[in-house]
């Protein structure tokens, strides 16, 4: 595995995404998703909203890094709120 | 009636998931790992956090290449999609000549990308190339090796020549699937020309146009070989797109950390644009 050049930070990052995907799979089996329309401009499933949360969070982090030298943790906190809003009301 | 759910069916896709994991996900994870480190060799690496991302996003050459890339993709779509539709509508739907037209259209798609670059490098040369010599004979100053405008025009012509066929073939398949009854009804209503296209053909082309736009958008965003062979990214850096700048960074300078951060940003850009396009289609369909 050394060729993959792991660091504990990237391992934690991918583990978090893996756990989130596992949780989404479990939730899908337990409570099958229903397509719904929230504040997002098109009907979405739970998986769609999760993908939109991840993609939007990545964009927020990139914009933060491009625009400011402030700690990126602030962007992460912003993204937690954003992802929560998308999953709940999107 | 609700379709029955059988979660055991997911086992059937497990082999595909494994193949995708080892061919795409593991390499992507490795690139992400590289992007947060300064790599000297396999055993000598220093964690630098998100510094390479910050550096790349503020690199003027990256931003210039990004602007060129987006401009090129937009121009490719603006030129190739209408032209492909127009060609598809002009092809006879039946008869022997249909086969001849389809074969001729398919020829550019069969030529390897580096060969396309070489063909156009010779074709557009102002001294011996047919295109270059013809344009020069008309009294127009043309030299794609010294003029950025000429280099862009040549690149766009080359891409249109290479890929409009794909759009045309997809649209032809879409048009061929329209039942004759629609045309008969349109004829009874007196619809022809633009009205026939707008109200009968375009709605039926929606799905193939979605695929055509998505394919051309993704492919033009990743273009590398043809401009590399034709212009080498020049004159100056006027035709240096993201892929070529990335290759220079990763292979030429061996800056693996910054190149990995660049790759992740490049991937994110393509993913984001494709998702925006997909979402806009979904919204329209909804």
């Amino acid at each position: 595995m050394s060729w993959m050049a792991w660091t504990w930070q990237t391992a934690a990052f991918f583990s978090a995404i893996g756990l989130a995907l596992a949780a989404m799979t479990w939730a899908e089996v337990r409570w099958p998703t229903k397509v719904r329309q929230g504040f997002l401009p098109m009907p979405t499933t739970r998986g769609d909203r999760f993908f939109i949360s991840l993609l939007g969070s990545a964009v927020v982090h990139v914009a933060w890094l491009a625009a400011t030298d402030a700690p990126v943790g602030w962007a992460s906190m912003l993204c937690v709120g954003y992802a929560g809003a998308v999953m709940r009301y999107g | 009636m609700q379709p029955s759910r059988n979660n055991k069916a997911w086992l059937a896709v497990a082999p595909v998931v494994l193949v995708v994991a080892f061919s795409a996900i593991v390499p992507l994870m490795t690139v992400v790992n590289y992007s947060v480190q300064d790599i000297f060799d396999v055993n000598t690496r220093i964690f630098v956090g998100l510094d390479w991302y910050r550096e790349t996003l503020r690199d003027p050459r990256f931003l210039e290449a990004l602007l060129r890339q987006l401009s090129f993709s937009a121009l490719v779509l603006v030129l190739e999609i209408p032209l492909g539709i127009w060609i598809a509508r002009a092809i006879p739907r039946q008869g022997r000549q249909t086969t001849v037209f389809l074969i001729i259209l398919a020829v550019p798609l069969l030529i390897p990308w580096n060969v396309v670059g070489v063909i156009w490098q010779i074709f557009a040369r102002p001294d011996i190339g047919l295109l270059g010599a013809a344009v020069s004979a008309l009294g127009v100053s043309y030299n794609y090796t010294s003029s950025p405008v000429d280099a862009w025009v040549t690149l766009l012509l080359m891409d249109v020549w290479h890929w409009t066929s794909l759009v045309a073939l997809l649209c032809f398949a879409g048009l061929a699937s329209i039942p004759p009854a629609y045309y008969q009804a349109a004829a009874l209503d007196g619809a022809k020309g633009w009205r026939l296209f707008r109200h009968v053909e375009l709605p039926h082309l929606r799905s193939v146009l979605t695929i055509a736009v998505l394919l051309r958008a993704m492919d033009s965003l990743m273009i590398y070989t043809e401009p590399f062979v034709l212009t080498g990214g020049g004159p100056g850096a006027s035709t240096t797109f993201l892929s070529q700048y990335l290759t220079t960074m990763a292979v030429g300078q061996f800056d693996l950390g910054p190149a990995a951060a660049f790759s992740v940003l490049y991937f994110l850009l393509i993913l984001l644009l494709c998702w925006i396009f997909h979402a806009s289609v979904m919204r329209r369909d909804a």
Side-chain angles (χ1 to χ4, degrees), chain A residues 16-51:
Chain A
I17 291 182
L19 283 172
L21 286 173
M24 292 289 293
T25 306
W26 176 78
E28 181 62 31
V29 173
R30 185 76 178 79
W31 302 288
T33 188
K34 293 189 178 89
V35 178
R36 73 166 198 227
Q37 172 96 49
F39 68 77
L40 291 169
M42 69 283 189
T44 54
T45 62
R46 190 189 294 130
D48 292 334
R49 292 190 292 279
F50 181 64
F51 177 75

Side-chain angles (χ1 to χ4, degrees), chain A residues 65, chain B residues 31-40 46-59 62 249 255-263 265:
Chain A
L65 288 169
Chain B
V31 170
V32 172
N33 290 344
Y34 271 52
S35 72
V36 294
Q37 298 177 80
D38 199 357
I39 308 280
F40 296 97
I46 300 169
F47 182 76
V48 295
L50 298 171
D51 286 358
W52 295 137
Y53 288 92
R54 193 173 274 121
E55 190 176 281
T56 302
L57 287 164
R58 296 175 188 188
D59 176 4
F62 169 79
M249 194 184 274
D255 286 336
L256 294 183
F262 191 135
S263 303
L265 292 170

